[in-house]
Amino acid sequence: MREISAGPRVLLRRLREMLAEALEPQERLDRIVREIAQNMVAEVCSLYILRSDSVLELYATEGLNPNAVHLAQLRLGQGLVGTIAASARPLSLSEAQEHPAFTYLPETGEEIYHSFLGVPVLRAGRTLGVLVVQNRTKRHYREDEVEALETVAMVIAEMIAMGDLARLTRPGIELDLRRSVSLKGLAFNEGIGLGHVVLHEPRIVVTNLFNEDSDQETERLEAALSSLRLSIDDMLSRRDVAFEGEHRAVLEAYRMFANDRGWVRRLEEAVRNGLTAEAAVEKVQSDMRARMMHMTDPYLRERMSDFDDLANRLLRQLMGGGPDALSEAVPKDAVIVARSMGAAELLDYPRERLRGLVLEDGAPTSHIVIVARAIGLPTVGEVKGAVSMSENGDAIVVDGEDGQVHLRPQPDIEAAYAEKVRFRARRQQHYRALREKPSVTKDGIPVDLLMNAGLAVDLPQLAQSGAAGIGLFRTELQFMVALTFPRAEAQERLYREVLDAASGKPVTFRTVDIGGDKVLPYFKGAQHEENPALGWRAIRLTLDRPGLLRTQIRALLKAAGGRELRLMLPMVTEIDEVHRAREIIDREVRHLSRFAHHLPTRLKLGTMIEVPSLLWQLDELMQAVDFVSVGSNDLFQFVTATDRGNTRLSDRFDPLSVPFLRLLRQIVQAGQAANKPVTLCGELAGRPISAMALLGIGYRSISMAAASIGPVKAMVCELPLGELTERMDKALANHGAKTDIRAELTAFAKEHGLSF
Ligand code: PEP
Ligand code: MG
C-alpha cells in the first residue's frame, strides 16, 4: 500500500512546487499536465474546463495535438469527457472507442490511444472540469490510480476557484464557477434584497492541502474523528430538551455516519495519498456531494445535508476554530444564505447591514421567518442547493415577491431589480410623508391604524410607521425564539421596554397563544395532536397550566406600574374562560398590592374573536369584556373549514365575500350596541382593498403589520367613506348569491382614483 501511494505523494509535492512558482497561468497548466502524465506513466494528460455555456473546453494537454488547446470543445453530456462532467463520476476504460458515448475529435489526434481514465474536477460538489489520462496500450487503471487522479483534480479545482484561469478565458466567455444561476424557492417575506452573499456557516476553506508526513497526519485524523464521535455521544447522552425529537434523530444519523467504515476508509486513503486531514475531508465530501446531487430521493438528499454538517464539524475539530473564529466581516449589503438557522442567530447580525435572507429549509411559520418578517427582511425559503452554489461575496438578488433567488445575476437582471428597489423606495418616501398626517378619511372620519408586534426588534417601527399604537402584541414570539421558557424577569423586561417605546400610545398585550402551529420545542406538556389548530392551545392551555399564565400576568402588571394595561385573551370559545382568567388576574393584582407594588392605573381586559362559537354569544361577551379584537386569520379558517397554512387552499375562498363580511359586520354592530370598542387584527387589515372593505362595514380601528400602515393610510386619506358604506350596505343586502364584492370594491377604488 505504501509503495502504491508513493506516486501521488511525489506528484502532490511537485504540484505544490509548481503552484508556488511565479508562472504564467497557461505555462503552469502545461507543466501540471506534463507532470501528471509522467507520474502516472501515461502518454496523454488533458484538462477540460466547464464554461458557463455548458461547454467543456480543452485548456491544456500533454500528448494530444497542442494546437487543439482552447479549440477542442464538447458539450456537457457529449463524449466521454462530457459524460464524466454530467455524471460527476470517474470513468475508467481499457478500450475507450468501444464506449457508446465516445466522440472522436479529429483536431486532437487521440485515435491512437486506447485506454482512458477521466475524473471530474469537483469543488463543493460542483463540477468545474474534467481531468483525463490516456494510454496507447489497453490497460486497466487501478483503484489507487483513480484515487490519485481525483486528488490531483482537487488541487486543480482550488486553482480554478482562486481565479487563476480567468486570464486564459477568452473575452465574453465565463467559467461555470461564475455562472449566473436563478433558483426557485418560496416567497416567505416580501421585498427585494440586492447585495452580496454571506454564508451563515462559511464553508471552511482548506488552504493547506499537502501533508508532510502521512503517518502523523493519519493520527491527527483519527484523533479528530474520535473527539467528533465523543462529542456526538455526549450530546446524545445529555437529557437536554434541546436535543429531543428531530434534533435527536439528526444526532443519531450523525453518530451512524461518524462510524461509517466506508467514509472513514476514504478519508484515510486520501491522507495516505498526501493530503492533509482537512483536505481529505473536503475531497471525500465533495465526491460524495457530487454523487448524491443527482439523486432525487428526498431522504437521500437530506442525508447528504447531514453528511455536510458532519464534515463541517470534523473540519472545525481539525482546524481548532469555532464558527465565530471563522465568520468574516459582514458587508454593508449582506444577504444571509443558510441551510437553516435559529432566530436568535439572525439577530446577532448587524441589522442595518442585512438586505435579505435565503434558506434551504424553513417554513413560513418557522421562528427564523417570523423574526425576518419582524425586521422587514426579504426572505425566500426552500431554495435547494443555495448554500453549495454560492460563495461568500457573490452578488445576489432575493425576490421575496416571486420567491426567486438570482446568484451572480447578469447585468440586465440586476439593473431591472435595482429599478424595482428604487420604485419601492419612492413609494416608501410617499408613505413616510404621510406619517405625520392624521389618519382621517376624505369625508372627515377618523380611523385608528395600529400595528402588530411581538419582539423588541419591532419597536422602532412604531415611530417609523406612524402607527397610533400596538393593536396586537403577540407575547408568544418571545417564547418561540427562546431556547427555554423565558424567566419572569425577562418577560417583565420586554413588556417594560414595549411600554416605554410606546410612550403613552395604547398597547394591547395578548397572553401567550402557544400550541397549534406555534410549537415550543422545550415545552414538555404538549403531546402529538391530530388537529393542532383545534387542539390544546392558547387560553385552553394556559387555564390548565395557571402557573404559566400567573407568571405572565404578574410580569405584565409589574411592567405596567403607573400606566394603563390592556390585556387580551386568545382563542376564547366560551365566556366562562374570560371569568376564569379574570379570577387569576384579580388574584395577582391582590398579591402585588399586598406587597405594595406599583400597579397599573387602569386595567382593561378583552378577548380575541377567533372561534365561531362566540358569534352566538356576542351580547354576553360584550358585557364580560372591555374590548374585543377580531382575529380574522383564525376566524376565517374555522368559519370556512380551511387550514390557514395550506397553500393549496389559500386562494380558494375569499374573505371578501358576502357571508364573511356580513359576519364581521355583525361583530362590529354588537360592539356599537354595547358601546365596546372593536378592532380587527388579522392579515385582512393589512391589505388596502380589504382594509377598505372593513371600513365600509363599520370598522374604525384596525391593526396590521407595520409595513402595511403606509399603504393603508394612503388609501384612508383618499377614501369617501360615506359613499363606500352605502355601496357596501347594498352589496351585502343583495340576496343574489353571485355578488362579487372584490370586483365591487375594485370598481369603487377606480371610480375614486384610489390606487393600490
Ligand atoms: C388571527 O388569528 O387573526 C390573529 C391575529 O392571531 P394569530 O395570527 O397570531 O393566530
Ligand atoms: Mg389567531
Side-chain angles (χ1 to χ4, degrees):
M1 205 60 182
R2 263 302 109 90
E3 273 156 274
I4 294 169
S5 40
R9 288 190 59 73
V10 173
L11 180 56
L12 283 185
R13 199 177 54 235
R14 289 286 303 125
L15 288 183
R16 172 162 47 170
E17 286 161 11
M18 272 178 230
L19 290 181
E21 268 178 74
L23 294 172
E24 282 299 305
Q26 186 66 53
E27 191 181 354
R28 199 194 311 279
L29 280 190
D30 293 345
R31 286 223 213 156
I32 286 175
V33 289
R34 196 173 318 137
E35 194 67 38
I36 298 171
Q38 259 171 29
N39 183 279
M40 297 196 65
V41 201
E43 281 97 29
V44 173
C45 176
S46 314
L47 175 65
Y48 296 82
I49 304 286
L50 184 59
R51 303 189 324 212
S52 61
D53 55 355
S54 297
V55 166
L56 288 142
E57 177 180 320
L58 181 66
Y59 261 60
T61 185
E62 168 71 13
L64 297 187
N65 179 3
N67 294 330
V69 170
H70 296 300
L71 290 179
Q73 298 179 355
L74 286 153
R75 282 193 320 281
L76 198 63
Q78 185 196 10
L80 300 178
V81 168
T83 303
I84 294 165
S87 64
R89 312 189 81 132
L91 197 58
S92 168
L93 305 164
S94 56
E95 182 48 271
Q97 290 164 35
E98 282 173 8
H99 192 280
F102 179 81
T103 305
Y104 174 54
L105 295 180
E107 65 272 30
T108 61
E110 65 178 330
E111 62 278 18
I112 51 174
Y113 303 104
H114 290 281
S115 44
F116 173 104
L117 168 62
V119 297
V121 175
L122 297 172
R123 188 162 189 276
R126 290 177 62 195
T127 303
L128 305 184
V130 174
L131 183 63
V132 174
V133 290
Q134 287 172 279
N135 281 81
R136 230 180 263 262
T137 55
K138 294 187 184 182
R139 57 160 301 201
H140 287 280
Y141 297 96
R142 295 185 310 269
E143 253 315 286
D144 61 286
E145 288 176 306
V146 180
E147 271 287 323
L149 199 62
E150 282 181 333
T151 306
V152 174
M154 183 186 167
V155 177
I156 291 175
E158 285 309 313
M159 275 177 63
I160 302 173
M162 276 152 54
D164 233 30
L165 304 191
R167 278 168 48 209
L168 298 182
T169 308
R170 270 168 290 142
I173 289 193
E174 268 191 285
L175 297 188
D176 190 57
L177 186 74
R178 309 305 319 150
R179 184 166 56 106
S180 312
V181 266
S182 294
L183 303 165
K184 183 86 187 104
L186 298 177
F188 280 173
N189 190 23
E190 70 133 41
I192 308 282
L194 254 80
H196 291 92
V197 170
V198 170
L199 287 168
H200 174 56
E201 292 218 303
R203 198 169 307 117
I204 298 164
V205 182
V206 179
T207 44
N208 189 8
L209 294 174
F210 314 104
N211 76 44
E212 301 291 341
D213 175 339
S214 341
D215 289 338
Q216 221 175 29
E217 202 60 19
T218 307
E219 273 172 34
R220 260 188 84 224
L221 175 70
E222 299 299 345
L225 275 168
S226 346
S227 45
L228 175 73
R229 289 179 192 129
L230 272 177
S231 73
I232 296 172
D233 286 348
D234 181 45
M235 283 189 273
L236 274 167
S237 65
R238 258 189 273 161
R239 288 252 145 262
D240 197 330
V241 280
F243 296 114
E244 284 309 319
E246 276 267 282
H247 291 95
R248 194 169 187 88
V250 170
L251 282 174
E252 281 179 350
Y254 282 1
R255 173 152 70 182
M256 200 174 82
F257 296 146
N259 289 293
D260 182 292
R261 289 276 257 321
W263 190 57
V264 174
R265 189 187 51 73
R266 283 196 294 278
L267 290 172
E268 288 170 346
E269 199 150 306
V271 168
R272 267 201 303 276
N273 277 343
L275 292 183
T276 56
E278 293 88 329
V281 176
E282 189 158 291
K283 173 184 179 295
V284 170
Q285 198 50 23
S286 197
D287 293 350
M288 178 128 64
R289 232 189 266 158
R291 274 165 215 172
M292 293 180 95
M293 202 86 116
H294 299 277
M295 297 186 180
T296 45
D297 182 335
Y299 175 79
L300 287 177
R301 290 181 68 93
E302 195 48 39
R303 296 286 73 82
M304 175 174 96
S305 305
D306 290 343
F307 255 122
D308 266 349
D309 281 357
L310 192 70
N312 263 330
R313 274 165 198 259
L314 187 54
L315 281 178
R316 292 220 171 89
Q317 200 79 253
L318 283 160
M319 297 172 88
D324 293 344
L326 296 157
S327 72
E328 284 163 41
V330 179
K332 277 207 217 57
D333 56 356
V335 172
I336 310 293
V337 179
R339 188 178 153 221
S340 60
M341 70 195 282
E345 290 175 291
L346 180 64
L347 295 172
D348 285 343
Y349 285 95
R351 201 180 139 197
E352 67 287 355
R353 296 189 178 195
L354 299 184
R355 296 289 175 273
L357 175 66
V358 177
L359 298 169
E360 287 207 359
D361 296 346
T365 49
S366 62
H367 306 169
I368 170 77
V369 176
I370 291 170
V371 172
R373 198 170 297 141
I375 61 176
L377 202 59
T379 304
V380 179
E382 299 241 1
V383 191
K384 297 299 172 207
V387 171
S388 65
M389 302 290 267
S390 2
E391 295 277 347
N392 266 333
D394 277 351
I396 186 169
V397 175
V398 182
D399 183 341
E401 278 155 27
D402 279 358
Q404 297 247 26
V405 173
H406 305 280
L407 255 179
R408 303 176 285 273
Q410 302 278 5
D412 53 339
I413 299 258
E414 196 161 359
Y417 274 106
E419 181 47 41
K420 247 182 167 178
V421 169
R422 277 194 291 275
F423 176 73
R424 285 177 69 91
R426 277 197 298 275
R427 243 184 8 204
Q428 291 302 330
Q429 215 169 359
H430 171 58
Y431 299 148
R432 261 197 302 279
L434 287 179
R435 195 165 56 191
E436 308 306 330
K437 252 184 104 172
S439 170
V440 177
T441 62
K442 200 171 178 183
D443 46 357
I445 302 163
V447 176
D448 253 359
L449 301 181
L450 305 156
M451 69 174 251
N452 295 345
L455 293 167
V457 291
D458 291 323
L459 299 176
Q461 300 284 341
L462 190 51
Q464 283 160 21
S465 65
I470 298 181
L472 167 66
F473 191 89
R474 293 179 163 106
T475 61
E476 63 275 8
L477 294 196
Q478 184 189 22
F479 288 66
M480 287 166 70
V481 298
L483 294 174
T484 54
F485 270 112
R487 294 175 161 279
E489 302 77 52
Q491 293 184 39
E492 187 185 328
R493 209 175 317 122
L494 173 66
Y495 305 149
R496 196 181 296 279
E497 208 180 317
V498 175
L499 289 166
D500 289 349
S503 47
K505 288 181 179 175
V507 178
T508 302
F509 289 98
R510 182 172 73 182
T511 60
V512 279
D513 182 11
I514 48 179
D517 62 339
K518 297 169 183 167
V519 194
L520 308 181
Y522 50 83
F523 181 48
K524 295 243 181 64
Q527 281 170 356
H528 171 75
E529 294 180 313
E530 278 301 320
N531 292 301
L534 309 178
W536 192 55
R537 54 177 289 203
I539 189 76
R540 304 169 184 182
L541 185 154
T542 47
L543 284 176
D544 290 357
R545 292 287 160 90
L548 185 67
L549 190 57
R550 229 181 291 131
T551 308
Q552 183 175 35
I553 303 269
R554 191 175 298 181
L556 282 161
L557 288 168
K558 284 167 134 182
R563 317 183 247 210
E564 177 183 271
L565 176 62
R566 297 171 58 86
L567 275 176
M568 181 155 71
L569 308 171
M571 286 292 288
V572 168
T573 311
E574 52 181 30
I575 290 160
D576 190 46
E577 290 164 333
V578 183
H579 297 316
R580 288 168 62 198
R582 196 186 283 279
E583 272 169 33
I584 294 175
I585 297 166
D586 288 346
R587 198 152 4 119
E588 282 312 306
V589 171
R590 283 197 299 276
H591 173 85
L592 289 182
S593 54
R594 207 175 314 132
F595 290 94
H597 273 284
H598 200 33
L599 286 170
T601 48
R602 205 154 40 153
L603 198 152
K604 292 196 168 168
L605 180 64
T607 68
M608 297 282 289
I609 299 188
E610 297 170 290
V611 182
S613 67
L614 286 186
L615 299 173
W616 291 275
Q617 37 190 340
L618 280 174
D619 293 343
E620 295 88 335
L621 177 71
M622 295 296 173
Q623 297 314 311
V625 296
D626 300 307
F627 64 91
V628 292
S629 185
V630 181
S632 54
N633 305 340
D634 276 316
L635 186 58
F636 187 70
Q637 110 163 319
F638 296 133
V639 164
T640 56
T642 34
D643 178 350
R644 63 191 261 189
N646 188 336
T647 45
R648 202 160 168 181
L649 295 171
S650 54
D651 289 334
R652 194 174 181 108
F653 305 112
D654 192 351
L656 298 187
S657 59
V658 172
F660 197 61
L661 288 175
R662 279 184 186 160
L663 174 161
L664 293 178
R665 187 175 59 177
Q666 192 188 333
I667 298 171
V668 83
Q669 286 173 348
Q672 281 159 1
N675 204 16
K676 294 284 161 76
V678 178
T679 307
L680 184 142
C681 61
E683 300 305 310
L684 264 190
R687 286 180 215 109
I689 189 162
S690 46
M692 189 173 109
L694 293 172
L695 301 183
I697 57 172
Y699 284 79
R700 295 294 176 265
S701 166
I702 48 180
S703 190
M704 63 203 82
S708 296
I709 301 255
V712 170
K713 194 165 180 182
M715 177 276 294
V716 168
C717 294
E718 300 291 314
L719 182 69
L721 183 50
E723 245 178 88
L724 174 68
T725 309
E726 271 176 39
R727 276 281 265 282
M728 289 296 282
D729 280 348
K730 252 192 229 141
L732 294 185
N734 188 348
H735 295 282
K738 282 254 178 261
T739 312
D740 186 343
I741 302 280
R742 193 172 281 275
E744 193 75 42
L745 289 163
T746 313
F748 184 87
K750 214 164 166 189
E751 282 162 36
H752 293 87
L754 300 168
S755 58
F756 42 78

